[in-house]
Amino acid sequence: MTKDEVIKTLATLGSEQTKKTFTRHGAREPVFGVKVGDMKPIQKKIKKDYSLALDLFATGNADAQYFAGLIADESKMTKKDLAAWVKNANYSMINEYTVAWIAAESKHGWKLALEWIESSTEKIAASGWATFANIVAIQPDDLLDIKKLEELLKTVTKKIHTSANRVRHTMNQFVIATGSYVVPLGNKAKEAAKEIGLVTVNMGDTACKEPDAIKYINKAISMGKPGNKKKEARC
């Protein structure tokens, strides 16, 4: 399919109700309001297409950007591509999910995440922490830099409550993911979660609430999740 064909298809799948939901979560125009489930048949047809993903993301359309992440070929994504994506992401669902997923699956994820978390731009820093959260969920523990991850947990405990709104959210997600997926850091993540306590995040005009990290980690442990990695970050 061409870019124009995909855009046309997405436009027909959009609904005003879904668009309102996305808008409440921060999406800006242009946006059609396409449910992720309705994108799956198109994703299955295309599978992965590096060039098409780049073209779709460049449109700035929120639905097209999300779909671009579903068909992106992580093996071909460059640092320049990912830097453009995080800069031009339409809203938090794109920079914290789509961009973070593909960055984590690419060979550039770790280095980019380290760069991004130091950014003074909220959405870029948030993408960095979200990328780390995805990296720990998909990479085997023996391939992770455990010492550095432990340092990052300490950074979160020191800075989370004074960080920008969406950065607080993704920092908290990083703690949850580390405690849920990285066996050697399970206790460290729980200690960090206890020290952090409840995290306050403004979710806008939505019913969403910031998760209690310690409760989520304990639930993941009770379900036997630690050590059982995800096959891929995107979904």
Side-chain angles (χ1 to χ4, degrees):
M1 295 178 73
T2 65
K3 178 194 73 175
D4 290 341
E5 288 172 337
V6 174
I7 290 293
K8 184 177 180 179
T9 302
L10 291 175
T12 63
L13 293 172
S15 72
E16 282 302 314
Q17 185 57 49
T18 302
K19 181 176 179 177
K20 288 179 181 178
T21 299
F22 290 172
T23 301
R24 285 199 300 271
H25 282 80
R28 304 184 304 275
E29 293 286 359
V31 55
F32 299 132
V34 184
K35 294 179 180 179
V36 176
D38 291 336
M39 293 184 181
K40 293 297 184 176
I42 322 172
Q43 176 193 8
K44 187 176 181 180
K45 180 179 179 180
I46 297 173
K47 296 181 181 178
K48 291 184 180 181
D49 190 319
Y50 168 70
S51 296
L52 180 57
L54 294 185
D55 289 343
L56 288 169
F57 201 96
T59 66
N61 179 282
D63 302 282
Q65 289 188 337
Y66 190 93
F67 185 74
L70 295 180
I71 64 167
D73 187 339
E74 74 287 351
S75 67
K76 295 181 180 179
M77 293 293 287
T78 66
K79 289 183 71 175
K80 184 178 179 180
D81 294 331
L82 292 163
W85 277 26
V86 75
K87 179 181 178 180
N88 298 310
N90 184 293
Y91 73 118
S92 60
M93 187 172 179
I94 307 302
N95 66 281
E96 295 173 15
Y97 292 86
T98 298
V99 177
W101 288 340
I102 306 307
E105 291 180 6
S106 78
K107 60 185 177 182
H108 310 292
W110 186 270
K111 289 184 178 180
L112 283 175
L114 286 173
E115 293 176 16
W116 290 348
I117 63 173
E118 298 298 331
S119 176
S120 58
T121 302
E122 181 177 0
K123 71 174 181 178
I124 295 178
S127 292
W129 288 106
T131 298
F132 273 128
N134 282 283
I135 287 173
V136 300
I138 62 175
Q139 285 194 6
D141 288 349
D142 58 0
L143 296 181
L144 294 171
D145 185 339
I146 300 298
K147 183 177 180 180
K148 184 60 181 179
L149 289 172
E150 186 174 350
E151 290 177 7
L152 291 173
L153 285 173
K154 292 178 181 178
T155 297
V156 171
T157 60
K158 292 178 181 178
K159 298 183 177 182
I160 188 168
H161 294 297
T162 57
S163 294
N165 191 60
R166 296 306 301 185
V167 180
R168 294 198 298 275
H169 172 67
T170 52
M171 279 181 163
N172 197 42
Q173 292 295 320
F174 165 69
V175 174
I176 292 171
T178 301
S180 299
Y181 290 101
V182 186
V183 174
L185 290 176
N187 288 332
K188 293 291 184 181
K190 288 177 69 173
E191 291 172 7
K194 289 178 180 178
E195 185 173 345
I196 290 167
L198 294 177
V199 179
T200 301
V201 175
N202 182 355
M203 295 293 189
D205 185 23
T206 73
C208 297
K209 295 182 179 180
E210 186 62 24
D212 183 336
I214 192 64
K215 289 182 178 179
Y216 271 69
I217 292 172
N218 284 333
K219 183 178 180 180
I221 292 173
S222 68
M223 294 172 63
K225 184 178 290 187
N228 295 317
K229 303 287 182 168
K230 297 166 61 178
K231 292 183 178 180
E232 60 180 9
R234 74 188 90 181
C235 62

